[in-house]
Amino acid sequence: MSFTVIIPARLASTRLPNKPLADLGGKPMIVRVAERAALSGASRIVVATDHRDIYAACEQHGIDVAMTRADHPSGTDRIAEVAAALDLAEDAVVVNVQGDEPLIDPGLIAATAGHIKTDVPMATAAHAIELLPEMFNPNVVKVVLDKEGRAMYFSRAAIPWHRDGFAQSRDSLSDLHSHEFAPLRHIGLYAYTNKFLQVYPTLTASPLERIEALEQLRVLWHGYSIAVHVTSLLPEAGVDTPEDLERVRKHFEAPPDSPLVAAISAL
Protein backbone atom coordinates (compact mmCIF):
# COMPACT_ATOMS: atom_id res chain seq x y z
CA MET A 1 0.00 0.00 0.00
CA SER A 2 1.18 3.50 -0.86
CA PHE A 3 1.02 6.04 1.97
CA THR A 4 2.43 9.41 3.00
CA VAL A 5 3.82 10.12 6.46
CA ILE A 6 3.33 13.62 7.84
CA ILE A 7 5.06 14.48 11.12
CA PRO A 8 3.61 17.43 13.08
CA ALA A 9 6.23 19.35 15.07
CA ARG A 10 5.84 22.34 17.38
CA LEU A 11 8.73 23.94 19.24
CA ALA A 12 6.70 24.76 22.36
CA SER A 13 6.71 22.11 25.08
CA THR A 14 5.89 22.62 28.74
CA ARG A 15 7.93 19.68 30.03
CA LEU A 16 10.78 19.70 27.51
CA PRO A 17 11.44 23.04 25.76
CA ASN A 18 12.72 22.89 22.15
CA LYS A 19 12.10 19.15 22.11
CA PRO A 20 12.05 18.66 18.29
CA LEU A 21 15.54 20.20 18.07
CA ALA A 22 17.06 18.18 20.93
CA ASP A 23 20.34 16.62 19.81
CA LEU A 24 20.34 12.85 19.34
CA GLY A 25 23.74 11.66 18.25
CA GLY A 26 24.48 14.76 16.17
CA LYS A 27 21.04 15.23 14.59
CA PRO A 28 17.86 16.95 15.83
CA MET A 29 15.13 14.67 17.15
CA ILE A 30 12.72 15.64 14.37
CA VAL A 31 15.28 14.52 11.78
CA ARG A 32 15.72 11.17 13.58
CA VAL A 33 11.94 10.67 13.54
CA ALA A 34 11.78 11.39 9.80
CA GLU A 35 14.66 9.02 9.12
CA ARG A 36 12.94 6.29 11.12
CA ALA A 37 9.65 6.85 9.31
CA ALA A 38 11.44 6.61 5.96
CA LEU A 39 12.22 2.96 6.76
CA SER A 40 8.48 2.18 6.73
CA GLY A 41 8.25 2.19 2.94
CA ALA A 42 6.26 5.43 2.82
CA SER A 43 6.17 7.12 -0.56
CA ARG A 44 6.87 10.48 1.04
CA ILE A 45 7.86 11.90 4.43
CA VAL A 46 6.95 15.50 5.27
CA VAL A 47 7.45 17.42 8.52
CA ALA A 48 4.65 19.90 9.27
CA THR A 49 5.74 22.79 11.49
CA ASP A 50 4.90 26.35 12.42
CA HIS A 51 8.43 27.30 13.51
CA ARG A 52 11.29 28.53 11.33
CA ASP A 53 13.97 26.82 13.44
CA ILE A 54 12.41 23.39 12.85
CA TYR A 55 11.98 24.23 9.18
CA ALA A 56 15.65 25.19 8.90
CA ALA A 57 16.83 22.05 10.71
CA CYS A 58 14.86 19.82 8.34
CA GLU A 59 16.13 21.64 5.26
CA GLN A 60 19.71 21.34 6.52
CA HIS A 61 19.36 17.54 6.72
CA GLY A 62 17.44 17.10 3.46
CA ILE A 63 14.07 16.41 5.09
CA ASP A 64 10.94 17.52 3.23
CA VAL A 65 9.21 20.16 5.38
CA ALA A 66 6.18 22.44 5.11
CA MET A 67 5.27 25.55 7.09
CA THR A 68 1.77 25.67 8.58
CA ARG A 69 -0.40 28.14 10.40
CA ALA A 70 0.46 28.62 14.07
CA ASP A 71 -3.12 28.48 15.37
CA HIS A 72 -3.93 24.80 14.82
CA PRO A 73 -5.58 23.25 17.92
CA SER A 74 -4.03 19.83 17.31
CA GLY A 75 -1.44 17.96 15.29
CA THR A 76 -4.23 16.36 13.26
CA ASP A 77 -5.40 19.77 12.08
CA ARG A 78 -1.81 20.66 11.22
CA ILE A 79 -1.24 17.61 9.04
CA ALA A 80 -4.62 18.15 7.36
CA GLU A 81 -3.38 21.54 6.15
CA VAL A 82 -0.24 19.97 4.70
CA ALA A 83 -2.11 17.05 3.12
CA ALA A 84 -4.40 19.54 1.37
CA ALA A 85 -1.40 21.52 0.11
CA LEU A 86 0.15 18.32 -1.28
CA ASP A 87 -2.98 17.87 -3.41
CA LEU A 88 -3.30 14.21 -2.45
CA ALA A 89 -6.13 12.10 -3.85
CA GLU A 90 -9.17 11.60 -1.62
CA ASP A 91 -8.35 7.93 -1.10
CA ALA A 92 -4.64 8.57 -0.40
CA VAL A 93 -3.52 7.26 2.99
CA VAL A 94 -1.80 9.67 5.38
CA VAL A 95 -0.05 8.50 8.55
CA ASN A 96 0.42 10.86 11.49
CA VAL A 97 3.72 10.01 13.20
CA GLN A 98 4.41 12.02 16.33
CA GLY A 99 7.53 14.18 16.27
CA ASP A 100 8.81 12.80 19.58
CA GLU A 101 9.05 9.13 18.51
CA PRO A 102 12.66 8.75 17.29
CA LEU A 103 12.64 4.99 17.97
CA ILE A 104 9.26 4.19 16.41
CA ASP A 105 8.98 0.81 14.71
CA PRO A 106 8.79 1.40 10.93
CA GLY A 107 6.84 -1.85 10.55
CA LEU A 108 4.17 -0.53 12.89
CA ILE A 109 3.70 2.53 10.67
CA ALA A 110 3.20 0.38 7.58
CA ALA A 111 0.91 -2.09 9.37
CA THR A 112 -1.33 0.67 10.70
CA ALA A 113 -1.60 2.26 7.24
CA GLY A 114 -2.60 -1.14 5.86
CA HIS A 115 -5.78 -1.19 7.95
CA ILE A 116 -7.40 1.65 6.01
CA LYS A 117 -10.32 0.41 3.91
CA THR A 118 -13.16 1.93 1.91
CA ASP A 119 -15.50 1.89 4.93
CA VAL A 120 -12.78 2.48 7.53
CA PRO A 121 -11.27 5.95 7.07
CA MET A 122 -9.02 5.87 10.14
CA ALA A 123 -6.70 3.39 11.84
CA THR A 124 -4.53 3.26 14.93
CA ALA A 125 -2.58 0.69 16.96
CA ALA A 126 -2.54 -1.07 20.32
CA HIS A 127 -0.73 -3.80 22.24
CA ALA A 128 -1.59 -6.08 25.14
CA ILE A 129 -1.16 -4.70 28.65
CA GLU A 130 1.19 -6.94 30.59
CA LEU A 131 1.80 -4.93 33.76
CA LEU A 132 -1.03 -4.59 36.26
CA PRO A 133 -0.24 -0.97 37.29
CA GLU A 134 -0.80 0.11 33.67
CA MET A 135 -4.35 -1.23 33.79
CA PHE A 136 -5.25 1.23 36.54
CA ASN A 137 -3.02 4.10 35.41
CA PRO A 138 -5.12 6.94 33.90
CA ASN A 139 -2.12 8.04 31.84
CA VAL A 140 -2.29 4.72 29.99
CA VAL A 141 -5.11 4.89 27.46
CA LYS A 142 -7.04 1.67 26.97
CA VAL A 143 -9.12 0.57 23.97
CA VAL A 144 -11.69 -2.19 23.48
CA LEU A 145 -12.46 -3.67 20.06
CA ASP A 146 -15.44 -5.22 18.31
CA LYS A 147 -15.31 -8.53 16.46
CA GLU A 148 -14.01 -6.79 13.32
CA GLY A 149 -11.04 -5.32 15.19
CA ARG A 150 -12.47 -1.82 15.25
CA ALA A 151 -12.46 0.48 18.25
CA MET A 152 -15.58 0.48 20.39
CA TYR A 153 -14.24 2.91 23.00
CA PHE A 154 -11.07 4.51 24.32
CA SER A 155 -10.70 5.34 28.00
CA ARG A 156 -8.27 6.25 30.72
CA ALA A 157 -10.24 3.90 32.97
CA ALA A 158 -9.59 0.16 33.27
CA ILE A 159 -11.52 -1.36 30.38
CA PRO A 160 -12.72 -4.00 29.97
CA TRP A 161 -13.55 -4.29 33.67
CA HIS A 162 -13.17 -7.97 34.57
CA ARG A 163 -15.93 -8.06 37.16
CA ASP A 164 -15.44 -11.54 38.56
CA GLY A 165 -11.67 -11.61 38.24
CA PHE A 166 -11.10 -8.22 39.85
CA ALA A 167 -13.62 -9.06 42.57
CA GLN A 168 -11.33 -11.91 43.60
CA SER A 169 -8.01 -10.14 43.12
CA ARG A 170 -6.44 -7.11 41.48
CA ASP A 171 -2.93 -8.50 41.80
CA SER A 172 -2.71 -10.31 38.44
CA LEU A 173 -3.74 -9.95 34.79
CA SER A 174 -3.27 -13.63 34.01
CA ASP A 175 -6.96 -14.54 34.33
CA LEU A 176 -8.01 -11.61 32.16
CA HIS A 177 -5.48 -12.56 29.47
CA SER A 178 -7.08 -15.99 29.29
CA HIS A 179 -10.25 -14.37 27.97
CA GLU A 180 -10.91 -13.14 24.45
CA PHE A 181 -10.92 -9.51 25.57
CA ALA A 182 -7.41 -9.07 26.91
CA PRO A 183 -6.73 -5.45 27.95
CA LEU A 184 -5.13 -3.32 25.24
CA ARG A 185 -3.02 -0.19 25.56
CA HIS A 186 -3.60 2.36 22.84
CA ILE A 187 -0.58 3.54 20.82
CA GLY A 188 -0.74 7.14 19.58
CA LEU A 189 -0.15 6.42 15.89
CA TYR A 190 -2.86 7.27 13.37
CA ALA A 191 -3.58 6.70 9.68
CA TYR A 192 -6.39 8.32 7.69
CA THR A 193 -7.73 8.63 4.20
CA ASN A 194 -7.04 12.14 2.96
CA LYS A 195 -10.79 12.62 2.47
CA PHE A 196 -11.47 11.94 6.13
CA LEU A 197 -8.45 13.96 7.22
CA GLN A 198 -9.99 17.00 5.55
CA VAL A 199 -13.33 16.30 7.26
CA TYR A 200 -11.82 15.87 10.72
CA PRO A 201 -11.17 19.59 11.46
CA THR A 202 -14.87 20.29 10.79
CA LEU A 203 -16.11 17.79 13.39
CA THR A 204 -17.31 19.31 16.64
CA ALA A 205 -15.71 18.13 19.87
CA SER A 206 -17.73 15.51 21.74
CA PRO A 207 -18.71 15.52 25.43
CA LEU A 208 -16.87 12.22 25.93
CA GLU A 209 -13.74 13.71 24.39
CA ARG A 210 -13.84 16.55 26.92
CA ILE A 211 -14.44 14.19 29.84
CA GLU A 212 -11.66 11.73 28.96
CA ALA A 213 -9.37 14.30 27.29
CA LEU A 214 -9.01 11.89 24.34
CA GLU A 215 -9.31 13.46 20.91
CA GLN A 216 -9.98 10.16 19.11
CA LEU A 217 -13.36 9.84 20.84
CA ARG A 218 -14.57 12.65 18.57
CA VAL A 219 -14.28 10.28 15.61
CA LEU A 220 -16.39 7.55 17.26
CA TRP A 221 -18.91 10.12 18.52
CA HIS A 222 -19.60 11.21 14.95
CA GLY A 223 -20.09 7.64 13.75
CA TYR A 224 -16.82 6.95 11.93
CA SER A 225 -14.93 3.65 12.29
CA ILE A 226 -11.37 3.31 13.59
CA ALA A 227 -9.53 0.07 12.76
CA VAL A 228 -6.96 -1.04 15.33
CA HIS A 229 -3.77 -2.91 14.51
CA VAL A 230 -2.77 -5.04 17.51
CA THR A 231 0.98 -5.55 17.64
CA SER A 232 2.79 -8.16 19.69
CA LEU A 233 5.85 -5.90 20.01
CA LEU A 234 6.06 -3.48 22.91
CA PRO A 235 6.72 -0.08 21.30
CA GLU A 236 9.62 2.06 22.45
CA ALA A 237 8.38 4.98 24.54
CA GLY A 238 8.44 8.47 23.07
CA VAL A 239 10.19 11.50 24.54
CA ASP A 240 8.11 13.55 26.99
CA THR A 241 10.54 14.33 29.81
CA PRO A 242 14.25 15.04 30.32
CA GLU A 243 14.58 11.47 31.60
CA ASP A 244 13.08 10.13 28.37
CA LEU A 245 15.52 12.24 26.38
CA GLU A 246 18.52 10.81 28.21
CA ARG A 247 17.22 7.27 27.68
CA VAL A 248 16.91 7.80 23.93
CA ARG A 249 20.27 9.57 23.70
CA LYS A 250 21.94 6.43 25.03
CA HIS A 251 20.73 4.59 21.94
CA PHE A 252 22.14 7.11 19.49
CA GLU A 253 25.40 7.46 21.41
CA ALA A 254 25.95 3.70 21.71
CA PRO A 255 28.47 1.99 19.38
CA PRO A 256 26.84 0.59 16.19
CA ASP A 257 27.59 -2.99 17.24
CA SER A 258 26.24 -2.66 20.79
CA PRO A 259 23.37 -4.92 21.95
CA LEU A 260 21.19 -1.84 22.54
CA VAL A 261 21.47 -0.63 18.96
CA ALA A 262 21.05 -4.16 17.60
CA ALA A 263 17.84 -4.62 19.60
CA ILE A 264 16.33 -1.36 18.34
CA SER A 265 17.42 -1.99 14.75
CA ALA A 266 15.71 -5.38 14.81
CA LEU A 267 12.29 -3.81 15.35
Side-chain angles (χ1 to χ4, degrees):
M1 168 184 282
S2 175
F3 60 93
T4 298
V5 169
I6 303 181
I7 307 169
R10 296 175 63 248
L11 202 61
S13 173
T14 55
R15 288 186 288 181
L16 196 58
N18 301 325
K19 180 166 62 171
L21 300 178
D23 181 82
L24 295 178
K27 293 181 181 180
M29 182 186 302
I30 190 63
V31 172
R32 294 295 190 183
V33 175
E35 290 177 340
R36 194 73 177 164
L39 300 175
S40 68
S43 58
R44 190 173 184 181
I45 312 292
V46 184
V47 171
T49 186
D50 61 356
H51 202 283
R52 286 290 174 185
D53 289 351
I54 296 176
Y55 189 97
C58 290
E59 277 201 320
Q60 180 182 354
H61 290 86
I63 303 298
D64 198 357
V65 58
M67 285 294 295
T68 70
R69 303 197 322 263
D71 60 348
H72 285 302
S74 73
T76 310
D77 297 270
R78 191 175 307 282
I79 71 169
E81 178 188 344
V82 173
L86 294 176
D87 198 26
L88 299 174
E90 285 192 343
D91 62 352
V93 176
V94 178
V95 182
N96 179 352
V97 173
Q98 299 302 310
D100 57 4
E101 299 277 354
L103 300 180
I104 190 168
D105 175 11
L108 183 62
I109 297 173
T112 301
H115 280 265
I116 296 294
K117 299 178 181 178
T118 303
D119 60 338
V120 184
M122 182 172 171
T124 189
H127 70 90
I129 293 176
E130 299 290 348
L131 302 176
L132 191 65
E134 291 188 347
M135 189 68 183
F136 303 104
N137 183 349
N139 295 316
V140 174
V141 178
K142 276 71 68 173
V143 58
V144 290
L145 313 181
D146 67 12
K147 67 184 181 67
E148 302 296 335
R150 301 176 185 180
M152 296 174 65
Y153 192 66
F154 297 86
S155 182
R156 298 181 182 279
I159 57 172
W161 184 262
H162 188 22
R163 187 195 66 175
D164 296 338
F166 287 152
Q168 297 177 11
S169 173
R170 297 188 191 179
D171 296 330
S172 173
L173 285 174
S174 59
D175 189 44
L176 186 53
H177 275 291
S178 68
H179 291 69
E180 183 179 358
F181 278 93
L184 296 173
R185 177 176 185 159
H186 177 235
I187 301 169
L189 174 70
Y190 299 100
Y192 325 78
T193 62
N194 184 41
K195 181 179 180 179
F196 177 70
L197 187 55
Q198 301 309 317
V199 169
Y200 178 86
T202 71
L203 300 177
T204 56
S206 74
L208 291 172
E209 171 189 354
R210 296 191 184 99
I211 292 171
E212 295 260 18
L214 296 175
E215 186 180 310
Q216 61 270 35
L217 289 174
R218 182 184 313 182
V219 178
L220 300 181
W221 175 264
H222 287 278
Y224 294 93
S225 295
I226 304 176
V228 181
H229 171 70
V230 180
T231 176
S232 60
L233 298 175
L234 181 66
E236 287 289 328
V239 178
D240 291 319
T241 66
E243 291 76 18
D244 292 334
L245 182 59
E246 289 308 309
R247 169 181 52 81
V248 172
R249 274 179 172 157
K250 290 179 180 178
H251 161 74
F252 289 100
E253 293 170 357
D257 57 349
S258 72
L260 176 60
V261 173
I264 298 299
S265 299
L267 289 177

